[in-house]
Amino acid sequence: MNTPFEFNDHPDPPRRPGIFARLRSSFLTGLVVIAPVGLTIWLIWTVIGWVDSFVLPFIPQAYQPDVVLRALIGDELYARWLGDDTQLHIRGVGVVIFLLFTIVVGWLAKGFIGRSLIRWAEGLVDRMPVVRSVYNGVKQLAETVFAQSESSFEKACLIQYPRKGIWAIGFISTTARGEIAGRAETSGGLLSVFVPTTPNPTSGFLLFFPQEDVIELDMTVEDAAKLVISAGLVYPNPKDPTKPAKQG
């Protein structure tokens, strides 16, 4: 007779998952593999289509893809292969035209005549109240995102923010100068530090810290950005764990 407290020396072997459980597990695994690839392809395909729909209406009818193909192979072959009323849409033609047009505009803008035309056009825009505000805002955004300048974050760092004892990752941009450095009540230098938010590191706070309160990190700016974007899930491999941190 078994008692309520009697132990079973031979427990039953664990049950194997059923066919539906295995199918569900395989489906979820496949979804994890397919979803990033599929979404990436869909996003690229959508962006290409959007650029084509914006650029192609500006192309003269004589240079549209279907008209050019008709001229190359002849109307008879075109009608036999695709149909006489078929309009050929080659995805990506607008993107190629946009890239070539942008390169030509950039090349012209670097020259003396191009710079003179840009200054004349910007002077004209500055006399238009509403257009001036829109243009200056878009120009500042474009220069921030696309400008090929040497202005970039110098180092990743640790700072105590928003209070002592709480540490945050920041990016050292420059040494404070001008009125900011002159009016700040500090005994030493002052560093401008950008403190990003998670998971969007393009937004954040510009803070000015005394140089002695900023701890420079050995990790690169890219690794620090990955750490911020991943909410602390992706840590870079330490180069030398025994190496002491550098003070700013």
Side-chain angles (χ1 to χ4, degrees), residues 59-166:
I59 305 302
Q61 183 64 29
Y63 297 99
Q64 293 289 336
D66 55 332
V67 178
V68 174
L69 186 60
R70 281 178 183 270
L72 291 176
I73 67 175
D75 291 339
E76 183 178 351
L77 287 178
Y78 186 93
R80 183 186 306 173
W81 291 349
L82 301 175
D84 192 38
D85 298 330
T86 302
Q87 287 188 344
L88 185 64
H89 298 285
I90 303 177
R91 214 173 185 91
V93 173
V95 175
V96 175
I97 295 174
F98 174 75
L99 291 176
L100 294 176
F101 176 76
T102 305
I103 291 173
V104 172
V105 170
W107 176 72
L108 293 175
K110 291 181 178 180
F112 174 76
I113 298 178
R115 290 198 301 268
S116 301
L117 289 175
I118 291 174
R119 284 196 296 267
W120 174 81
E122 289 182 343
L124 185 64
V125 170
D126 284 339
R127 292 193 288 270
M128 304 178 184
V130 179
V131 178
R132 175 180 58 197
S133 301
V134 175
Y135 174 79
N136 289 335
V138 175
K139 180 183 177 182
Q140 185 177 6
L141 178 63
E143 288 178 346
T144 302
V145 176
F146 300 110
Q148 298 180 0
S149 63
E150 296 181 356
S151 300
S152 60
F153 296 124
E154 296 177 353
K155 292 284 295 183
C157 66
L158 271 180
I159 44 96
Q160 296 194 64
Y161 177 81
R163 64 171 177 83
K164 293 285 186 180
I166 298 181

Side-chain angles (χ1 to χ4, degrees), residues 196-247:
T197 56
T198 300
N200 179 18
T202 60
S203 64
F205 307 94
L206 174 62
L207 306 174
F208 296 93
F209 285 89
Q211 192 168 359
E212 61 271 14
D213 293 340
V214 178
I215 301 177
E216 294 186 7
L217 298 175
D218 291 328
M219 70 175 67
T220 63
V221 172
E222 290 77 12
D223 287 338
K226 292 177 184 178
L227 183 59
V228 173
I229 295 172
S230 67
L233 297 178
V234 178
Y235 273 83
N237 294 324
K239 297 179 181 179
D240 187 358
T242 62
K243 184 178 180 180
K246 295 184 292 185
Q247 296 291 332

Side-chain angles (χ1 to χ4, degrees), residues 40-54 91-92 94-95:
T40 302
I41 294 175
W42 173 81
L43 181 61
I44 295 175
W45 187 259
T46 303
V47 171
I48 292 175
W50 178 81
V51 175
D52 284 351
S53 64
F54 179 78
R91 214 173 185 91
V95 175

